[in-house]
Amino acid sequence: MDLRFVLDPGLTPELREQLVALWVDVTNAGGAVGFVAPVTAAEVRPVAESTLAEVADGPDRLLVGYEDGRLVAVLVVADNRFHLKTHWRVLKRVMVHPDTQGHGHGAALMREAERVAREMGVEALHVTVRDGLGLDRFYRRLGYREIGRLPAALRLSPTDSRDEILMWLDLPTPPATVDLGLVAPRESH
C-alpha cells in the first residue's frame, strides 16, 4: 500500500492522541524512540507534547504518513536553533507502526524527509541511532554514513548501556541545467 504524506498537519487533539498511541506501540514493539519498553501513554504523553510544542511554536516540522487514513509513520525535522547550523537538520522520533514494518514504509518516510529537506534548501540530514538493534544498517542502505559514536551514551538499565551512533546524509544540490544558448538551425526555404 502507498503512503500519503502530510507535512505540518494541524495538531488536533485527535492527531496528538494518534501520535502518542503510535509512539507507545513502536516502543513496546522494541523501537528505539526515547523509551524502553514497556511504556504507557501516560509516560509518553509529556514527551510527545513537548515535541509537538516545538513543532507548533518553533521552526521544527512534523512529517506524518497515512495508510488508508491510518497514521502509520512519523518523524520530526528539527531545526538546530543555532545560526551556524542552519544548513542541516536533525531527524527525530522516526517511527513506523510495527504492524506495517517490512512494507517499505520506513524507507518511504525517509525519502519523503529528504525531499522535504531539499525543498527547504537543507544540505544534509543527521539522525542518531541506538546501537544493538541493527538500525544503522537500515540508514546505511538509504545512503547515510556513520560519522561517530558516543560510547555507552544510552543507559537502558543498570546493566545495559548502548552506543549512540551518529549518522549523516549529504543532500547535494542537483546540477543546474545550463542553457548554452544553442538554438536549432532554421530551415531555409
Side-chain angles (χ1 to χ4, degrees):
M1 302 248 166
D2 289 333
L3 290 181
R4 179 180 61 87
F5 292 105
V6 178
L7 180 64
D8 300 325
L11 296 176
T12 64
E14 178 185 14
L15 177 59
R16 289 170 184 270
E17 286 307 309
Q18 291 171 348
L19 288 167
V20 169
L22 176 63
W23 205 328
V24 168
D25 290 346
V26 168
T27 300
N28 288 337
V33 285
F35 294 94
V36 177
V39 294
T40 65
E43 292 168 302
V44 169
R45 188 169 285 106
V47 177
E49 288 300 328
S50 174
T51 299
L52 295 175
E54 292 175 356
V55 169
D57 299 337
D60 292 353
R61 312 287 300 271
L62 180 66
L63 178 62
V64 297
Y66 293 95
E67 181 180 63
D68 296 328
R70 176 183 169 218
L71 179 69
V72 296
V74 66
L75 62 73
V76 174
V77 181
D79 184 271
N80 287 296
R81 292 164 175 76
F82 183 59
H83 70 282
L84 299 179
K85 296 181 179 182
T86 59
H87 59 291
W88 61 277
R89 297 292 186 277
V90 179
L91 300 182
K92 295 182 175 182
R93 312 304 185 197
V94 179
M95 294 182 258
V96 173
H97 197 280
D99 67 11
T100 66
Q101 290 181 357
H103 300 164
H105 292 354
L109 177 65
M110 296 303 292
R111 293 291 181 230
E112 182 67 7
E114 282 181 46
R115 188 192 68 73
V116 166
R118 286 179 194 280
E119 283 185 359
M120 294 169 56
V122 171
E123 298 172 21
L125 293 171
H126 169 61
V127 64
T128 61
V129 179
R130 183 187 300 171
D131 194 20
L133 300 173
L135 296 170
D136 52 319
R137 289 190 304 272
F138 167 76
Y139 288 103
R140 279 190 184 92
R141 284 193 304 270
L142 296 172
Y144 285 76
R145 69 183 194 277
E146 181 176 329
I147 57 168
R149 281 180 182 253
L150 301 174
L154 302 170
R155 177 85 27 97
L156 307 185
S157 75
T159 60
D160 186 2
S161 294
R162 307 278 179 93
D163 291 356
E164 185 170 48
I165 305 170
L166 311 176
M167 311 281 305
W168 186 266
L169 178 69
D170 289 308
L171 298 174
T173 306
T177 304
V178 177
D179 181 1
L180 299 175
L182 301 177
V183 179
R186 292 185 183 186
E187 291 184 27
S188 56
H189 295 281

